[in-house]
C-alpha cells in the first residue's frame, strides 16, 4: 500500500501515519516522489493494512492499494485452478461442467420426470430450488424440507449430485445434509451471515453474482466463505441489472475471462436467469463457454408451460439435448470435453 500525503502535509502528519502503521504491526517506509511525501508498506504476502484506517488522517491525499482486498480467492495467492468435486462431477477441470434442472422443485413427479430425462443425457448435477427467493410473497415459495427430501430421493434413484439454494443461515445445516452443492442466489450475495455459515460447512458453494454487484464485491463475498474455512467455492455469472428490460438481465460475458485472471475459483454461467428467455439460452451458453466458463447451470422443465416459476426461460428436455449436442461440438473445437456420465458420452 502507498499513502500519498498532501503537498501541505507536515512532519507531524507523516509521523502520525507511520505511527498508525506500526501500531497495526507493519513497518512503514517514508520516502518522497514528485515533491510529495509517500508512506509505503509491503504486506509481504499477508494482509495489507486497511486503507480506511488511514483515509481520515490529517494530510492524507490518496491511498493506492497494491494488492486486492480479497486475498485467499486471488489468483496471485493460488496460481492453480481450484477443481471441485460433487458426486461424480468435476467443476473447474478441463471438461465443461453442466448442471441442469427445474427452477423449483414443485412436486415429486415433476422433479423425477425431468431428472430421469437429464440423467439419461448424462447430466451429473441436478438443480432445483426447495427454498425460493421470490420477489412477491404471494408467489410459490418452494416446498422447503419436503423439496429437499424429493431432491435426496432423486439423487438415490439417478446418482446425480444435487445443487439447491439456501436462503438463510439457519437453514444451512439442513440444506447441507440433503445437497451436494449449496447455491447462494443473487439476492443474497452480500448476506454476510449466510456467507459465513456457508463457510463453516463442508459442501461446495455456488455463489451467484449479486444483480448490482461489482466484480470486487463478488470476490469479497467469496472471500467471506473461504476465510471461514470452505475453499470449495465457484462463482456464477447470472446477469446484472440495466436500464433495458428487453432481456431479464444483461449477461456480462467479459466477467468470465476477467475472473479467470483474478481468481483461481471455477466460473459458471447461468444463461437462463441472465436472459429470461429459453430461445436465448443456447447462444448465450455458447458465448460463455467460448469466453472460458468452467461450467453452465441451465433451467430445464419437462413442461415449461406448467412451471410454477421461470417457465419462459426453461428449456424443454429435447432442447436441453440439442444444447448438449451443440456444446459437445463447441467444447471439442476448444480442445475441451463435456463432463457427462460415460454412457452418454459413448452414445
Ligand atoms: C435460481 O437459480 O432459480 C435463482 C433464483 O437464481 P438467481 O439467484 O440468479 O436469481
Ligand atoms: Mn429460476
Amino acid at each position: 500500500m502507498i499513502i500519498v500525503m498532501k503537498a501541505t502535509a507536515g512532519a507531524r502528519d507523516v509521523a502520525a501515519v507511520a505511527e498508525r502503521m506500526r501500531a497495526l504491526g507493519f513497518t512503514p517506509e517514508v520516502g518522497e516522489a514528485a515533491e510529495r511525501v509517500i508512506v509505503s508498506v509491503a504486506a509481504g504476502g499477508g494482509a495489507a493494512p486497511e486503507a480506511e484506517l488511514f483515509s481520515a488522517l490529517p494530510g492524507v491525499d490518496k491511498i493506492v492499494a497494491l494488492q486486492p482486498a480479497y486475498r485467499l480467492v486471488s489468483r496471485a495467492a493460488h496460481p492453480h485452478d481450484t477443481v471441485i468435486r460433487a458426486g461424480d462431477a468435476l467443476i473447474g477441470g478441463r471438461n465443461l461442467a453442466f448442471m441442469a434442472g427445474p427452477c423449483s422443485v414443485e412436486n415429486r413427479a415433476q422433479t423425477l420426470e425431468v431428472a430421469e430425462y437429464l440423467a439419461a443425457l448424462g447430466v451429473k448435477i441436478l438443480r432445483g430450488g426447495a427454498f425460493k427467493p421470490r420477489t412477491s410473497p404471494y408467489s410459490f415459495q418452494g416446498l422447503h424440507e419436503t423439496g429437499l427430501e424429493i431432491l435426496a430421493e432423486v439423487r438415490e434413484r439417478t446418482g446425480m449430485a444435487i445443487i439447491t439454494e439456501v436462503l438463510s443461515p439457519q437453514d444451512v445445516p439442513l440444506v447441507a445434509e440433503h445437497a451436494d452443492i449449496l447455491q447462494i442466489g443473487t439476492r443474497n450475495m452480500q448476506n454476510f451471515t449466510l456467507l459465513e455459515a456457508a463457510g463453516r460447512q463442508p459442501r461446495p458453494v455456488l455463489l451467484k453474482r449479486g444483480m448490482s454487484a461489482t466484480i470486487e464485491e463478488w470476490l469479497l463475498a467469496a472471500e467471506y466463505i473461504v476465510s471461514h474455512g470452505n475453499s470449495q467455492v465457484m462463482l456464477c455469472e447470472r446477469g446484472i441489472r440495466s436500464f433495458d428490460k428487453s432481456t431479464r438481465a444483461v449477461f456480462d460475458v467479459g466477467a468470465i475471462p476477467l475472473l479467470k485472471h483474478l481468481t483461481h475459483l471455477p466460473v459458471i454461467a447461468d444463461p437462463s436467469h441472465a436472459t429470461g428467455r429459453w430461445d436465448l439460452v443456447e447462444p448465450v451458453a455458447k458465448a460463455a463457454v467460448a469466453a472460458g466458463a468452467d461450467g453452465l447451470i441451465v433451467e430445464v422443465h419437462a413442461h415449461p408451460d406448467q412451471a410454477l416459476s421461470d417457465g419462459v426461460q426453461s428449456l424443454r428436455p429435447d432442447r436441453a439435448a440439442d444444447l448438449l449436442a451443440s456444446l459437445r461440438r463447441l467444447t471439442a473445437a476448444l480442445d475441451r470435453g463435456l463432463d457427462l456420465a460415460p454412457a452418454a458420452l459413448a452414445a
Side-chain angles (χ1 to χ4, degrees):
M1 176 201 268
I2 295 176
I3 300 181
V4 182
M5 302 300 291
K6 289 181 181 154
T8 51
R12 276 178 162 215
D13 298 334
V14 177
V17 168
E19 192 40 51
R20 182 156 295 181
M21 285 230 184
R22 277 192 286 270
L24 291 167
F26 297 93
T27 309
E29 280 191 31
V30 179
E32 233 174 275
E35 292 169 24
R36 297 286 197 95
V37 173
I38 56 170
V39 185
S40 58
V41 63
E50 264 209 275
E52 206 178 335
L53 300 177
F54 297 89
S55 49
L57 289 181
V60 170
D61 186 7
K62 321 186 225 308
I63 304 179
V64 185
L66 300 176
Q67 287 172 306
Y70 48 86
R71 289 192 294 127
L72 301 173
V73 308
S74 77
R75 181 67 86 180
H78 186 307
H80 301 293
D81 288 340
T82 286
V83 179
I84 296 173
R85 176 176 282 283
D88 296 334
L90 281 183
I91 303 150
R94 178 172 173 271
N95 291 342
L96 182 79
F98 192 80
M99 318 178 201
C103 179
S104 303
V105 174
E106 298 165 9
N107 56 60
R108 186 175 174 277
Q110 163 256 3
T111 310
L112 208 49
E113 183 181 11
V114 73
E116 280 177 347
Y117 197 102
L118 291 166
L121 292 175
V123 176
K124 293 180 179 175
I125 306 176
L126 179 75
R127 63 144 292 147
F131 291 90
K132 293 305 302 175
R134 305 308 300 279
T135 301
S136 164
Y138 306 113
S139 302
F140 176 60
Q141 301 288 312
L143 298 180
H144 298 178
E145 191 162 356
T146 307
L148 295 175
E149 283 160 8
I150 292 171
L151 288 168
E153 184 193 340
V154 171
R155 175 183 37 222
E156 286 305 304
R157 288 174 75 124
T158 62
M160 295 166 104
I162 301 295
I163 174 168
T164 194
E165 181 160 355
V166 59
L167 290 182
S168 78
Q170 305 86 276
D171 293 329
V172 165
L174 177 71
V175 177
E177 198 184 300
H178 292 81
D180 300 279
I181 306 174
L182 306 189
Q183 176 173 322
I184 295 185
T186 190
R187 295 160 187 81
N188 265 322
M189 189 206 81
Q190 284 187 315
N191 179 338
F192 299 115
T193 49
L194 178 59
L195 299 174
E196 288 172 10
R200 287 193 292 261
Q201 60 77 50
R203 300 273 186 222
V205 178
L206 178 140
L207 178 64
K208 288 195 160 196
R209 181 180 187 175
M211 59 184 91
S212 302
T214 64
I215 300 278
E216 190 179 28
E217 287 164 342
W218 189 10
L219 288 168
L220 284 167
E223 186 87 5
Y224 262 88
I225 304 172
V226 176
S227 65
H228 281 80
N230 186 353
S231 59
Q232 306 285 287
V233 178
M234 58 198 109
L235 300 164
C236 176
E237 165 61 36
R238 50 77 72 206
I240 48 179
R241 281 243 163 130
S242 97
F243 54 88
D244 188 351
K245 296 287 155 253
S246 312
T247 51
R248 182 170 177 176
V250 173
F251 184 68
D252 184 1
V253 73
I256 295 168
L258 178 59
L259 287 169
K260 297 299 294 176
H261 285 299
L262 297 176
T263 177
H264 52 88
L265 301 178
V267 180
I268 309 298
D270 176 348
S272 307
H273 292 87
T275 62
R277 287 174 48 155
W278 72 266
D279 58 333
L280 302 185
V281 166
E282 179 170 331
V284 172
K286 289 194 223 154
V289 175
D294 295 295
L296 294 168
I297 181 163
V298 173
E299 286 187 340
V300 181
H301 196 291
H303 310 281
D305 55 330
Q306 291 163 33
L308 295 183
S309 60
D310 288 349
V312 223
Q313 67 196 34
S314 298
L315 296 181
R316 281 195 328 238
D318 59 322
R319 292 192 167 122
D322 292 346
L323 171 62
L324 283 174
S326 110
L327 290 173
R328 198 182 292 234
R329 292 189 293 273
L330 176 59
T331 48
L334 294 168
D335 201 24
R336 299 180 66 191
L338 253 177
D339 190 30
L340 295 181
L345 287 173

